[in-house]
């Protein structure tokens, strides 16, 4: 792994279709090759699960991905007492469902073409991999179940569907072309984001991806949230008002999305019932992180976006407050993160109780693809989960 890499952060993959909800499909015969890593390099595999996988048929970026190997975690050196001089918290409320990572062993990760990813942990069952909490189906589908042919791994079953192992070229040819864009398309969030129903994408509905007879943008859209629930949006004839279709559980009382625009005419979000969903793409470092062998709620948390109302200043009036980034741990303590001249270093805010001795958070990137896989803070490495 590399720390404080000087390269610029790549944009987080956006505009991907929502989590798939199609029925399971039958796996095709497995390819004979399993001698290449997920990056396509000709080298011995570090783990028999490593490789490229696809669901057939491939309908969106969620159906193609890679199981990749991440650098082994090293034992965490003795740390300071994180409970001295900081507010008390309820230990009973500390997150305990994440088993401690296996120190010094290979760590696996699933990364799909839609830009979603989550950790994979070995279990007592050699044919099962436990998914991390970043898996949007974690509560109902917490494991990948490996499929074998004469002992060799040829695929896995997940969420009722079969993903077969394939080559990079087969995967590249299987990913469908992106759907046409729409002026209203993008990632929207209700702030504060309290559950996966508060974040999702608006994009062109697959059934409307063909050429429009009038030559303009398609008039059939789809809303897909991070909870895996989606429904169609149909034009009403009234500008910026869209009718929700079957699948919206609030349809009787909240039947429409009403899009709002800034003074310049740019779309800034939509109203759905009493809530406002703001157009706001994900930042590359957003996600869930944990220290190796977490001991309390200070060692597990998320980097998330928030509406920074304090950044407006006195007397300033705008349509929407600017977005900021913050670290929020499971002990309920958080602090702002401000970019610095170094793109891989973020300064911490005033509420960081270690600010005098540890004022910065430094990103950790993967060796092969430059992805942000963790960060270093206060002597500890926090890795994505």
């Amino acid at each position: 792994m590399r720390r404080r890499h000087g390269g610029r952060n790549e944009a987080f993959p956006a505009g991907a279709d929502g989590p798939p909800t199609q029925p399971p499909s039958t796996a095709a015969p497995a390819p004979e090759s399993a001698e290449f890593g997920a990056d396509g390099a000709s080298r011995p595999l570090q783990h028999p699960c490593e490789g490229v996988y696809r669901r057939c048929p491939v309908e969106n970026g969620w159906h193609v991905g890679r199981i990749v190997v991440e650098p082994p975690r090293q034992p965490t050196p003795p740390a300071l007492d994180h409970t001295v001089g900081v507010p008390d918290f309820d230990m009973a409320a500390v997150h305990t469902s994440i088993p401690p990572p296996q120190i010094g062993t290979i760590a696996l990760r699933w990364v799909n073409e839609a830009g979603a990813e989550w950790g994979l942990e070995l279990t007592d069952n050699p044919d099962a991999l436990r998914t991390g909490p970043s898996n949007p189906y974690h509560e109902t589908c917490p494991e990948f179940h490996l499929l074998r042919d004469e002992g060799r791994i040829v695929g896995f079953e997940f969420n009722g569907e079969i993903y077969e192992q394939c080559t990079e070229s087969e995967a590249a040819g299987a990913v469908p072309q992106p759907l046409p864009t729409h002026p209203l398309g993008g990632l929207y969030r209700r702030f504060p984001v309290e559950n996966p129903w508060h974040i999702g994408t608006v994009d062109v509905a697959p059934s409307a991806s063909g050429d429009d007879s009038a030559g303009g943008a398609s008039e059939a859209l789809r809303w897909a949230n991070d909870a895996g629930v989606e429904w169609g949006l149909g034009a009403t004839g009234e500008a910026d008002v869209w009718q929700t279709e079957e699948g919206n559980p609030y349809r009787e009382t909240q039947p429409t999305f009403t899009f709002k625009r800034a003074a310049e005419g740019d779309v800034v979000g939509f109203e759905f019932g009493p809530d406002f969903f703001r157009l706001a793409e994900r930042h590359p470092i957003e996600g869930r992180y944990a220290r190796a062998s977490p001991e309390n709620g200070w060692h597990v948390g998320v980097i998330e976006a928030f509406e920074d109302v304090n950044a407006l200043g006195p007397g300033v009036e705008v349509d929407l407050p600017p977005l900021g980034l913050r670290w929020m741990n499971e002990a309920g303590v958080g602090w702002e993160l401000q970019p610095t001249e170094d793109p891989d270093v973020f300064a911490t805010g005033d509420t960081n109780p270690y600010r005098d001795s540890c004022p910065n958070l430094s990103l950790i990137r993967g060796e092969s693809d430059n992805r942000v896989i963790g960060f270093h803070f206060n002597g500890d490495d926090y890795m994505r989960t």
Side-chain angles (χ1 to χ4, degrees):
M1 64 179 69
R2 294 198 301 267
R3 310 177 197 275
R4 299 186 58 182
H5 186 278
R8 291 285 179 182
N9 291 335
E10 296 181 359
F12 191 89
D17 294 332
T21 57
Q22 300 297 321
S25 52
T26 304
E32 298 193 25
S33 172
E35 302 302 323
F36 296 88
D39 57 5
S42 177
R43 56 177 173 77
L45 298 182
Q46 300 180 62
H47 192 276
C49 292
E50 186 182 6
V52 189
Y53 297 83
R54 65 179 178 181
R55 192 210 82 162
C56 291
V58 175
E59 298 176 320
N60 56 57
W62 288 76
H63 297 159
V64 178
R66 294 154 184 78
I67 293 179
V68 299
V69 174
E70 295 190 335
R73 299 191 182 197
Q74 299 304 318
T76 301
L80 299 175
D81 185 350
H82 293 281
T83 62
V84 175
V86 296
D88 293 334
F89 59 93
D90 182 7
M91 285 299 295
V94 172
H95 181 79
T96 58
S97 64
I98 305 177
Q102 295 181 330
I103 297 175
T105 61
I106 287 178
L108 300 176
R109 191 166 196 81
W110 170 253
V111 182
N112 69 29
E113 291 289 335
E117 57 182 89
W118 51 82
L120 297 171
E121 296 180 356
L122 304 178
T123 69
D124 292 337
N125 180 355
D127 286 336
L129 298 174
R130 183 182 298 111
T131 65
S134 296
N135 165 20
Y137 311 103
H138 185 67
E139 292 187 1
T140 56
C141 303
E143 293 183 337
F144 283 13
H145 295 281
L146 302 180
L147 305 175
R148 298 178 183 269
D149 181 11
E150 296 183 352
R152 183 170 61 89
I153 294 172
V154 296
F156 62 86
E157 185 271 336
F158 172 64
N159 199 23
E161 299 178 324
I162 302 299
Y163 288 71
E164 62 179 18
Q165 194 172 57
C166 63
T167 65
E168 280 285 355
S169 58
E170 289 173 331
V175 178
Q177 293 298 313
L179 293 173
T181 58
H182 191 280
L184 301 178
L187 181 77
Y188 293 83
R189 320 190 205 192
R190 195 219 77 164
F191 286 99
V193 176
E194 298 173 321
N195 60 60
W197 287 75
H198 293 162
I199 182 168
T201 57
V202 171
D203 59 15
V204 176
S207 60
S209 59
D211 293 336
D212 185 71
S213 58
S218 170
E219 292 301 302
L221 301 179
R222 173 182 61 181
W223 165 255
N225 65 32
D226 277 9
V229 180
E230 62 181 66
W231 54 81
L233 300 172
T236 64
E238 182 180 353
D240 291 334
V241 178
W242 291 71
Q243 186 76 30
T244 64
E245 298 176 353
E246 185 177 355
N248 170 18
Y250 312 105
R251 192 177 182 189
E252 290 188 3
T253 57
Q254 300 172 203
T256 60
F257 280 17
T258 302
F259 288 86
K260 298 297 181 180
R261 298 178 183 270
E264 300 80 10
D266 297 330
V267 173
V268 295
F270 65 83
E271 291 179 348
F272 178 50
D275 294 322
F276 181 76
F277 285 71
R278 177 174 178 169
L279 182 64
E281 298 295 340
R282 286 185 176 93
H283 192 281
I285 71 171
E286 284 189 73
R288 185 179 182 85
Y289 299 83
R291 196 198 79 167
S293 302
E295 299 170 352
N296 56 55
W298 287 77
H299 298 156
V300 180
V302 295
I303 293 179
E304 61 183 7
F306 73 102
E307 292 186 321
D308 191 0
V309 295
N310 296 323
L312 297 178
V316 177
E317 295 183 2
V318 294
D319 290 334
L320 292 170
L323 291 179
L325 287 172
R326 67 184 174 195
W327 164 255
M328 180 62 66
N329 65 33
E330 293 200 346
V333 181
W335 47 83
E336 294 184 32
L337 300 174
Q338 295 287 344
T340 67
E341 293 182 357
D342 186 333
D344 281 354
V345 176
F346 286 78
T348 62
D350 295 338
T351 54
N352 169 17
Y354 313 105
R355 192 180 183 193
D356 288 344
S357 58
C358 302
N360 296 327
L361 173 154
S362 301
L363 302 183
I364 302 173
R365 294 183 179 271
E367 289 287 355
S368 61
D369 56 9
N370 205 36
R371 285 185 306 113
V372 175
I373 60 174
F375 64 84
H376 186 78
F377 175 71
N378 198 25
D380 293 324
D381 288 345
Y382 289 71
M383 308 304 290
R384 283 189 187 268
T385 63

